[in-house]
Amino acid sequence: MVPNPFTDISRSVRRRDQRQSPRRYQWFFLRRDPRLMQRLLIAAVLAWLAFLIAFPLIGIITHTFADGWRPFVDALIEPEAMHAFIITLLVTGVAVMINVVFGIIIGLVIARHQFPGKILVEELVSLPLAVSPVVAGFMFILLFGRNGWLGSWFEAGGVRIIYALPGMIIATIFVTLPFVSKEVIPVLLEIGTEMEDAARTLGASPWQVFRYITFPSIRWGLAYGITLTTARALGEFGAVLVVSGNIIGRTQTATLHIHESYTNLHFQGAFSASLVLAVISFTMLLVMEFFRRRIEKSREN
Amino acid sequence: MGIDVRHLVKRFRSSCQKTEGFLAVDDVSFSVQPGQMVALLGPSGSGKSTVLRIIAGLESPDSGHVIMQNHDVTWTPPQNRHIGFVFQHYALFKNMTVWKNIAFGLEVNRWEPEIVAAQVERFLALVQLKGYENRYPCQLSGGQRQRVALARALAPRPAFLLLDEPFGALDTKVRRNLAVQLRELHDEVKTTSVFVTHDQEEAFELADEIVVINRGRVEQAGTARDVYDRPASKFVASFIGNVNMVEGVNDGHTLWIGPLRRAVVPARALENRGELVLLVRPESIEVCSSPCSDTLDVMIRTVAYRGDRYEMMLDLDGLELRMIVDRQRGASRTWQTGATLHVRFSRFAVFEASEGHEALRDKLRSLGYIE
Amino acid sequence: MNPYPPSSSPRGPGFPSGLFAGKTLAGKKGERVMRWTALTYIGLLVVLPILAISGETVKSGFRTILADLSRPEALASLKLTFLLAFTMILITSCMGTLTAWVMVRYPFRGKAVVNALIDLPFAIPTVVTGLMLVVLYGPASAIGSFMNRNGVEVIYAKPGIVLALLYVTFPFVVRAVQPVLMEMNMEMEEAAACLGAGKWTIFKRIVFPSLLPSILTGAAQAFSKALGEFGSVVIVAGNIPMKTQIAPVYIYGEIESYNPSGALAVSLVLLAGSMIVLLLLNVARRVGTRYGA
């Protein structure tokens, strides 16, 4: 026989307030009433975002154009600046292309194949995210530097890697390695293998399966990954600074040019180049947002 | 100790400002006597859950009042209403064990730790979950989660227990079991309970009183017998139980029934005149041995033996009627498909045919109330 | 009816067959080629550099590294890096969670703009970030000079470094918490309210514990990023040794002055810090999945 739980505990244990009025109706998950707490929190977040992110952006825009358009344009058509942007485009272009091809392959291998040590491979792919760019650059100096493991070997063959373009490209590839495969893998896992199996049973070759089945379903995720890679490659500074030697007119990228101009107190140059990069990044952001919407839409279908 | 709900109105505004919004609750009033268990019964989307949430204080009405224990609590937050609420999907605290879940309501009300422990133990025993104290909700089955939710709601000794589709997410067998347990628990702890359901069997089995809600309005409030035998509207008659709908015309003396308007002289004179709809329960069709002034001749289309009863489909000039004859009476004679029967409607409800019979039937069919 | 019923996978359901995983010889070969391509690529780009730094460690020996590490500048830079990263984490966890809460729970105008702003730090180059902060908070600006007059130095001092770290890591916590909050059912909070819990109790005992795993995830990512942050800090911090020089800047200085062993010692500590944080992150994820149901 189960005892009645309500008979042996005195009523005085309860402690609840009965006096209530409509004014105290400030109940935080009822949305329709205007409430103080909610407004305060919104204001706090907006202020935080403004001082941390929005105002600095506005600040640099007003500073760049403090004396009108001319200094801005002049600073950009300086030969060093032009050259720096060309180098940046070159490094970014090569790094993105290589990483897209290998990113897709890595994605397919991780999402579709079973082999021992797969978890280790997954961890290794995301490792560059955890390594400081300066340390990354340092690792490549240890590897390819004049006294490095492979450096002396390359040197003997007449190929310079450190303090030259190849090193900068390798460093950029390293820091942007995870982005494509990280975006592709979840999509691949989600679509599953049924469609690919179906195509194969109909006689499609592996390449045809990829071309007509796999690629169309991962393309938006891939596009998102490419955008991320590009944005990161354009803005990479630490790793490239370490491996490039920062030789003006030869191995200077746009970010290095900004840093150089800033340390030499050539502020107009630094601001102008920064603004160009900021505008590019902002465009990238909008493109990313667009791709993300597409991914979500295709997921719904 | 009862609950009084007076003229509740609630309109949900959609995100686009242009539209009027959706009138979920439209002037709902009813009262719950202390210690009773009341069911809010209605089809899905009828606003019954919203009414319950307003009683709990989780929604605020646009107008109207909720009165509990002679206090107007319309604007009291849920914390201060002395309620236990059981959610349809249980809403157990995922980050707490079963023990912690049940103790939560006691701890936040600053009960003494020893009393908390004693109370939790009692309720674990009451819902037969001893031994599951240290499990997390994700390690329990649906029925067990339901029982934890029940124990959690009841442990702080609420004056009122509110349940939102308490068995909606469970399969039939567990559901019947738990329904009986709930009623026993309710009687044992003597709270006042209101529960929302779309399942009339659940309502009939558990509730002392049933409030039938449709499209945000109370169609009828009463005991199971009231709503079944004396439905206040066509909706109630057709929503609750099976019902045959027969249209007819009353000229004051004779009732002209069915597609071919056969003449019947009812035993009692009908108040309504003109175009009518008769709602007849399958078990209210009575078989007579010989034709007389208040019987109709119908043909047997199909006969099905259901163990405790015979279910027959009759043909009245092309209109299908369902008839139920109980086992004993059914066994006393043979039922042959195609044979003619003389039947009489022993009891029926009459409504004026405001809209055409077929139109009404179509609508009810599309809503799934009749076959 | 369908004259051609679908053929089921020969390996049965659930077994990952998929692209290039066929039973034919050609399929197997293709699969092997692809796997080895991927593994070689990862090996060359990720494993080889790690091996290089490990080999260098072995070569220079434990004693040298300890000696390099115990130089006051090295120790100070490491201490500063970890201290400022911790400070940043405390702030970004609070503000990030709050931002996610406001974004998910409260309606307000301009939400789309705010949503875009949150992602901006991921897109903008870190050097540009540093420059923007100098422009707004530097001694030459209105805010900076006002603060200087009141004795608060922001740029070329520790607050500036924290500000830069906050900027570059801002999206982590927000983006980790936001989806969890969106999925979290309001019913749990309502149930707590019906049981008599006040707002603060609900937050403390229901909402916060549910969010904690995702907050930890975001914070761990932010911490790992902050340990290695270079571009924005090198501009914002004055890089004065012993005072405002953080570890990555110290490493860079050592490389520039051709002292790889000094760079190696500090690099190892940073790498270890990041690895440990990654490990903790995995633990946090496991805690997060325990409640999942």
Side-chain angles (χ1 to χ4, degrees), chain C residues 60-240:
Chain C
S60 54
F62 187 61
R63 248 165 227 288
T64 337
I65 287 172
L66 213 61
D68 278 316
L69 209 57
S70 54
R71 282 177 52 196
E73 289 90 356
L75 273 183
S77 75
L78 279 173
K79 228 168 89 180
L80 188 70
T81 304
F82 279 89
L83 184 78
L84 295 184
F86 269 120
T87 317
M88 177 279 296
I89 276 206
L90 290 183
I91 303 173
T92 204
S93 299
C94 295
M95 291 314 290
T97 310
L98 182 62
T99 307
W101 176 269
V102 167
M103 293 295 292
V104 174
R105 286 289 167 92
Y106 300 151
F108 60 93
R109 244 173 281 153
K111 211 173 194 172
V113 179
V114 174
N115 210 10
L117 271 186
I118 289 171
D119 276 330
L120 197 63
F122 274 168
I124 282 202
T126 48
V127 190
V128 178
T129 301
L131 217 57
M132 291 197 305
L133 293 177
V134 169
V135 167
L136 189 68
Y137 296 104
S141 73
I143 299 178
S145 60
F146 171 79
M147 283 183 162
N148 271 359
R149 258 181 279 127
N150 292 298
V152 184
E153 244 187 314
V154 180
I155 298 302
Y156 309 130
K158 283 167 194 142
I161 302 176
V162 175
L163 201 63
L165 294 182
L166 279 173
Y167 188 106
V168 296
T169 58
F170 183 68
F172 283 114
V173 174
V174 183
R175 291 302 183 219
V177 173
Q178 221 172 2
V180 179
L181 207 51
M182 266 156 104
E183 234 169 71
M184 204 165 82
N185 210 327
M186 210 93 102
E187 272 192 0
M188 242 170 26
E189 289 156 59
E190 290 175 346
C194 289
L195 291 167
K199 290 181 205 176
W200 175 240
T201 316
I202 293 175
F203 180 77
K204 198 176 62 182
R205 295 198 47 184
I206 310 295
V207 178
F208 183 69
S210 312
L211 293 184
L212 192 61
S214 58
I215 296 176
L216 284 179
T217 306
Q221 287 169 336
F223 187 76
S224 158
K225 167 99 179 160
L227 283 188
E229 181 52 28
F230 177 71
S232 58
V233 178
V234 81
I235 288 188
V236 166
N239 305 323
I240 308 154

Side-chain angles (χ1 to χ4, degrees), chain A residues 1-33, chain B residues 10 57-60 62 71 75-80 82-83 109-112 115 119 122-123 125-126 154-158 188-189 191:
Chain A
M1 173 69 197
V2 186
N4 183 346
F6 284 165
T7 48
D8 46 0
I9 295 168
S10 81
R11 288 224 151 238
S12 62
V13 189
R14 297 180 72 121
R15 195 186 135 279
R16 282 180 183 177
D17 189 5
Q18 270 286 296
R19 287 166 289 117
Q20 286 302 328
S21 65
R23 282 221 140 262
R24 279 200 54 192
Y25 185 61
Q26 291 177 352
W27 175 234
F28 78 120
F29 36 71
L30 293 185
R31 294 172 180 211
R32 44 178 293 268
D33 285 62
Chain B
K10 171 81 183 175
L58 296 169
E59 303 276 359
S60 56
D62 295 340
H71 291 279
W75 299 103
T76 308
Q79 283 95 332
N80 302 357
H82 299 220
I83 52 168
N109 284 304
R110 315 247 168 91
W111 288 33
E112 299 290 328
I115 306 179
Q119 184 82 337
R122 282 193 189 96
F123 271 91
L126 266 181
L154 283 172
R157 292 191 308 153
E188 183 145 358
V189 300
T191 81

Side-chain angles (χ1 to χ4, degrees), chain B residues 15 35 44 121 138 153 170-172 188 193 197 203 239 252 256 279 317 339:
Chain B
S15 45
S44 55
E121 286 305 313
C138 58
L170 299 172
D171 49 57
T172 330
E188 183 145 358
S193 305
T197 183
F239 182 63
W256 305 86
L279 296 166
D317 306 336

Side-chain angles (χ1 to χ4, degrees), chain A residues 158-209:
Chain A
V159 182
R160 287 199 76 186
I161 291 187
I162 295 303
Y163 307 133
L165 217 50
M168 295 156 70
I169 293 173
I170 292 175
T172 309
I173 290 176
F174 177 83
V175 291
T176 57
L177 185 96
F179 293 121
V180 170
S181 52
K182 260 185 83 166
E183 293 305 322
V184 168
I185 289 170
V187 186
L188 280 174
L189 289 177
E190 199 166 322
I191 60 171
T193 59
E194 253 180 35
M195 280 198 299
E196 291 168 9
D197 284 342
R200 269 217 316 276
T201 59
L202 293 170
S205 71
W207 170 248
Q208 282 174 320
V209 173

Side-chain angles (χ1 to χ4, degrees), chain A residues 94-155:
Chain A
V94 176
V96 168
M97 270 194 289
I98 292 177
N99 261 341
V100 166
V101 173
F102 285 98
I104 293 174
I105 294 177
I106 292 171
L108 284 172
V109 167
I110 289 181
R112 293 284 188 258
H113 297 175
Q114 292 296 324
F115 54 93
K118 196 171 117 173
I119 297 169
L120 183 73
V121 173
E122 279 185 72
E123 291 296 316
L124 281 176
V125 168
S126 57
L127 187 83
L129 291 178
V131 176
S132 167
V134 179
V135 176
F138 178 58
M139 293 196 296
F140 284 109
I141 285 200
L142 287 178
L143 206 56
F144 296 115
R146 190 154 302 177
N147 308 317
W149 290 27
L150 302 174
S152 45
W153 190 65
F154 275 107
E155 201 91 343

